[in-house]
Amino acid sequence: MLRTAAQELGRLRDEIREGPGPATEAQHAKGKLTARERIELLFDEGTFTEIETLRRHRATGFGLENKRPHTDGVITGWGEVHGRTVYVYAHDFRHFGGALGEAHAEKIHKVMGLAEQAGAPLVSLNDGAGARIQEGVTALAGYGGIFRRNTRASGVIPQISVMLGPCAGGAAYSPALTDFVFMVRGTSQMFITGPDVVRAVTGEEITQDGLGGAQAHATISGVAAFAHDDEESCLADVRHLLSLLPQNNRELPPAEHCADPVDRRNDALLDLVPAEPTRAYDVRDVIEEIVDDGDCFEVHEGWATNVVCALARLGGQVVGVVANQPSSMAGVLDIGASEKAAAFVQTCDSFNIPLVTLVDVPGFLPGVGQEHGGIIRHGAKLLYAYCNATVPRVSVVLRKAYGGAYIVMDSQSIGADLTFAWPTNEIAVMGAEGAANVIFRREIAASDDPETLRAQRIKEYKAELMHPYYAAERGLVDDVIDPADTRRVLIGALRSLRAKHADLPSRKHGNAPV
């Protein structure tokens, strides 16, 4: 009897795993994988354990009582990624279009609670049609429970949202509450109101992809940290990201053996970065020259490109790199760059990832649009994130650092533990030309040869206040270093700070700029 029952259970599980054939074919016809195929790509082979496989909804009305598939359209459980435990829930579009009902939500609530209690990352594979309309308000309450758990786990465990299909309405807020959002071009969309509503209310004509596709969110809105051309490469990068993150906020990121010599000289930097402060270069080349094996994982690569944020390793230890990008808008800070860098700094600080800041910034972007758009508020977000961060913080002034932007880019005055500068650095309130025009405005205007006098005063200002050792002489820079020694100096500084412990004042929470 028991043997027969076990055999029947095995057949039932096989049927559930197989899923409805026509729906599977329809999913593949759209160029999409099934939920189970995605899970296989996410986890190390043979490590996934599913829970509540046999769960079914109890709703009635509108024909629901005649359609009660096992799993209720969501697969939950845990597995291993590079040998470490990760929890997952994956919408199965083959059942109810992945729409969320009461039982569906309860399964997600449970796996979210398990992930938090176990101190392990949570990955959501999103491919659903929103709330299950037939179940009414109970479906909406299910979303509320997800949002509350997202918020509770924020900064406690890494939360990664992978968008692999549609995500509309309130459902889009759960990914927005997580640490990283991945999207796939052509198949995933996120929006609060779809193109039809937009057309009816505003008269604007736009496609689903144009409104909320991967490219739109990766380059315009900043909602998506990563955009990929296919699901396979997307899930491979999710695995790579998990290899750089700790399991939770009580652990350090995983270290690796470093075959790249710690004392490797960076002579290439002497040619990569022009001495002239106005000449452009790609700071990503600098980062790749410094970090282990030239390997860095850029976050928000297509959005706010005037600042670069990336995860990498130095001496085998994971670090977060924030760098101004002179090849985009001369590397100025604006609203988008401030928001992007602030979120990255806050995420790194949440998960004990030391911060390395590479500074080459001419200031904040001027303009009516920036001021009316709230550059003061948004710039303050970056300032707040750095000031609030307790992880080891090391900054290097590569070239220029002017005005308030110098302060905001993790200067020593806001708490950087160690600050270094290259011998071509210019740290000042503003560039010499602008400073001379302000200080000597009347004298230059009254001169018989204003251009000659202006050039003379610029030269004097540079010699007096902008020479590369001015900040070091006043203790605002810990040392002026040979660019070729940058890797060695950074690794040594971070090693000295590895046991850093800093307590924030006792408080319920800070009141960060919004």
Side-chain angles (χ1 to χ4, degrees), residues 78-282:
W78 67 87
E80 293 182 0
V81 176
H82 301 298
R84 298 190 301 157
T85 299
V86 173
Y87 284 80
V88 70
Y89 68 86
H91 299 295
D92 192 340
F93 198 83
R94 298 175 300 173
H95 299 298
F96 301 114
L100 181 139
E102 182 181 24
H104 184 120
E106 287 175 353
K107 288 182 65 174
I108 295 175
H109 296 168
K110 178 166 184 174
V111 81
M112 294 179 79
L114 289 172
E116 183 187 345
Q117 292 165 13
L122 174 70
V123 175
S124 62
L125 304 180
N126 298 271
D127 186 6
R132 199 174 297 170
I133 299 171
Q134 300 94 321
E135 293 195 31
V137 72
T138 55
L140 296 179
Y143 273 122
I146 293 172
F147 303 157
R148 179 162 55 89
R149 287 166 175 82
N150 283 138
T151 304
R152 178 182 169 88
S154 179
V156 178
I157 57 172
Q159 298 181 84
I160 298 173
S161 297
V162 188
M163 314 311 295
L164 301 165
C167 184
Y173 282 115
S174 176
L177 289 168
T178 60
D179 301 305
F180 299 96
V181 175
F182 288 75
M183 294 188 74
V184 176
R185 296 182 182 93
T187 58
S188 61
Q189 300 91 29
M190 296 173 66
F191 38 70
I192 300 301
T193 54
D196 293 341
V197 176
V198 169
R199 185 184 308 111
V201 175
T202 70
E204 296 169 292
E205 293 284 347
I206 194 165
T207 64
Q208 286 198 349
D209 256 0
L211 182 63
Q215 200 62 18
H217 283 311
T219 62
I220 301 172
S221 73
V223 170
F226 307 95
H228 293 80
D229 292 326
D230 55 75
E231 295 189 19
E232 290 82 359
S233 62
C234 177
L235 291 167
D237 267 1
V238 173
R239 286 175 56 85
H240 181 52
L241 175 59
L242 287 165
S243 75
L244 296 167
L245 300 175
Q247 290 292 89
N248 54 64
N249 65 337
R250 300 183 301 277
E251 296 183 6
L252 295 175
E256 285 188 355
H257 170 70
C258 178
D260 192 350
V262 169
D263 58 354
R264 171 172 57 80
R265 283 181 59 82
N266 305 123
D267 292 303
L269 295 178
L270 300 172
D271 298 316
L272 281 175
V273 180
E276 298 88 341
T278 57
R279 280 187 59 192
Y281 63 93
D282 193 335

Side-chain angles (χ1 to χ4, degrees), residues 34 151 159 175 185 266 272 329 340 372 406 423 435 437-438 460-461 485:
T34 67
T151 304
Q159 298 181 84
R185 296 182 182 93
N266 305 123
L272 281 175
M329 299 172 60
K340 171 179 169 177
H372 288 183
Y406 152 66
N437 288 338
V438 172
E460 290 173 359
Y461 185 85
D485 290 330

Side-chain angles (χ1 to χ4, degrees), residues 42 44 73 203 325 372 405 413 418 512:
L42 174 64
D44 300 344
Q325 175 58 293
H372 288 183
S413 61
L418 291 168

Side-chain angles (χ1 to χ4, degrees), residues 9-89:
L9 175 61
R11 283 194 294 271
L12 176 59
R13 289 188 180 279
D14 288 342
E15 290 175 8
I16 295 170
R17 280 191 287 266
E18 186 68 24
T24 301
E25 292 169 8
Q27 188 83 340
H28 288 162
K30 297 175 185 175
K32 297 164 65 175
L33 301 175
T34 67
R36 295 189 183 278
E37 289 168 339
R38 292 162 178 164
I39 287 171
E40 288 177 4
L41 288 174
L42 174 64
F43 290 117
D44 300 344
E45 187 176 354
T47 64
F48 178 61
T49 298
E50 185 175 353
I51 58 173
E52 297 203 2
T53 312
L54 303 176
R55 187 72 180 265
R56 303 164 81 180
H57 73 75
R58 297 169 292 179
T60 58
F62 305 102
L64 282 179
E65 63 274 12
N66 301 317
K67 189 177 182 182
R68 300 179 62 231
H70 292 99
T71 73
D72 200 48
V74 64
I75 300 167
T76 57
W78 67 87
E80 293 182 0
V81 176
H82 301 298
R84 298 190 301 157
T85 299
V86 173
Y87 284 80
V88 70
Y89 68 86

